Amino acid sequence: GEKEEMIFNYKSTDSDEVIKATFKTQRTVIGLLCLLLYPLSILCGLPAAGVNPPQWWHSISDTYYASSKGIMIGVLFLTAYYFFTYRGYDWRDRLINWISAFTALGVIIFPVHGTEGLIDFGKNLKLCSTLHGVSAGVLFGSFFVNCIWLFCLGDTSNPPKRKRNIFYKCCGVGILIGIVILVMASNGLIHHGFVGVSEFIMLISYAFAWFVKSGMFLKDK
């Protein structure tokens, strides 16, 4: 009986360690993908900058029409895949990350200018652009909800956890600032090039929130 109990406990502990390692890997990869999406989409288009459409570098969405289109779609698709496969702790994590996954795919399926997409909208290109904007808005909104709420759940009696929560909320504020800049740039209140700036602010904020979530920084001692 004692030997069987030891074997059972070993398997249980081993399973817990595997789950923790899987979570850490998923969280780190999500952070890396969010961190790399903007710079790769821009840098990989620079060699063909002379033949790319004007203002192709103003936003990640505009690189859809540039030579770095494949990079943009590939990284965003991988990000959606990891959002979709990340289970989290309960249904709230799964719901928010599924929303992130489907809206990330929406950004790909419905191009910002409505042309060359996976769906032929014919003359109704405005509908495609609207769906793109809604997808992007909900995507960044899900980032904000994760940072400001879901990442902050847990035992806050632990001092390192309280420090992480402060960091998560700072990342949430960074995402909120990015959303404000995005709205202003999209409506002509500031230069349209600030769309890319806002995306970079939001993505880097979310990336480092995931890095902390993975235990890369501010982990328990």
Side-chain angles (χ1 to χ4, degrees):
E2 182 179 352
K3 184 177 180 181
E4 290 177 356
E5 184 178 353
M6 288 176 65
I7 292 173
F8 174 78
N9 289 337
Y10 171 78
K11 288 182 178 179
S12 177
T13 303
D14 185 55
S15 178
D16 289 344
E17 290 302 316
V18 169
I19 291 172
K20 288 179 181 179
T22 301
F23 271 4
K24 182 176 181 179
T25 299
Q26 286 181 316
R27 292 163 179 169
T28 302
V29 171
I30 290 173
L32 284 172
L33 290 170
C34 290
L35 183 67
L36 294 175
L37 177 58
Y38 179 83
L40 284 181
S41 297
I42 301 299
L43 291 175
C44 290
L46 290 178
V51 297
N52 285 336
Q55 303 179 350
W56 66 271
W57 48 271
H58 277 191
S59 72
I60 296 171
S61 299
D62 285 326
T63 62
Y64 186 95
Y65 302 96
S67 58
S68 54
K69 173 180 180 177
I71 299 296
M72 175 266 192
I73 291 176
V75 175
L76 197 52
F77 181 83
L78 278 175
T79 307
Y81 169 79
Y82 273 92
F83 282 145
F84 188 74
T85 56
Y86 179 75
R87 290 185 60 82
Y89 295 108
D90 57 30
W91 66 270
R92 293 171 296 187
D93 285 319
R94 288 190 287 276
L95 176 61
I96 289 297
N97 284 288
W98 283 359
I99 290 173
S100 297
F102 285 117
T103 51
L105 291 176
V107 170
I108 299 173
I109 295 171
F110 310 114
V112 63
H113 301 302
T115 57
E116 301 180 22
L118 299 177
I119 299 174
D120 184 7
F121 280 83
K123 295 181 179 180
N124 197 4
L125 300 182
K126 187 176 181 180
L127 175 59
C128 185
S129 298
T130 300
L131 291 173
H132 177 91
V134 170
S135 296
V138 175
L139 175 63
F140 291 129
S142 69
F143 291 179
F144 176 75
V145 170
N146 242 344
C147 286
I148 212 74
W149 177 42
L150 288 179
F151 283 1
C152 295
L153 296 178
D155 182 12
T156 55
S157 64
N158 182 10
K161 171 60 176 172
R162 290 199 294 270
K163 289 182 180 179
R164 289 197 294 273
N165 284 358
I166 292 172
F167 187 86
Y168 293 143
K169 289 176 181 177
C170 288
C171 291
V173 170
I175 293 169
L176 184 60
I177 291 172
I179 290 174
V180 172
I181 296 173
L182 176 63
V183 171
M184 293 175 66
S186 299
N187 288 278
L189 299 177
I190 56 177
H191 192 276
H192 187 262
F194 278 98
V195 170
V197 174
S198 70
E199 291 170 340
F200 182 68
I201 291 172
M202 289 185 280
L203 286 168
I204 198 170
S205 297
Y206 202 45
F208 277 91
W210 277 104
F211 289 150
V212 170
K213 190 73 174 172
S214 73
M216 190 180 295
F217 307 109
L218 300 177
K219 56 186 177 181
D220 292 333
K221 294 181 180 179

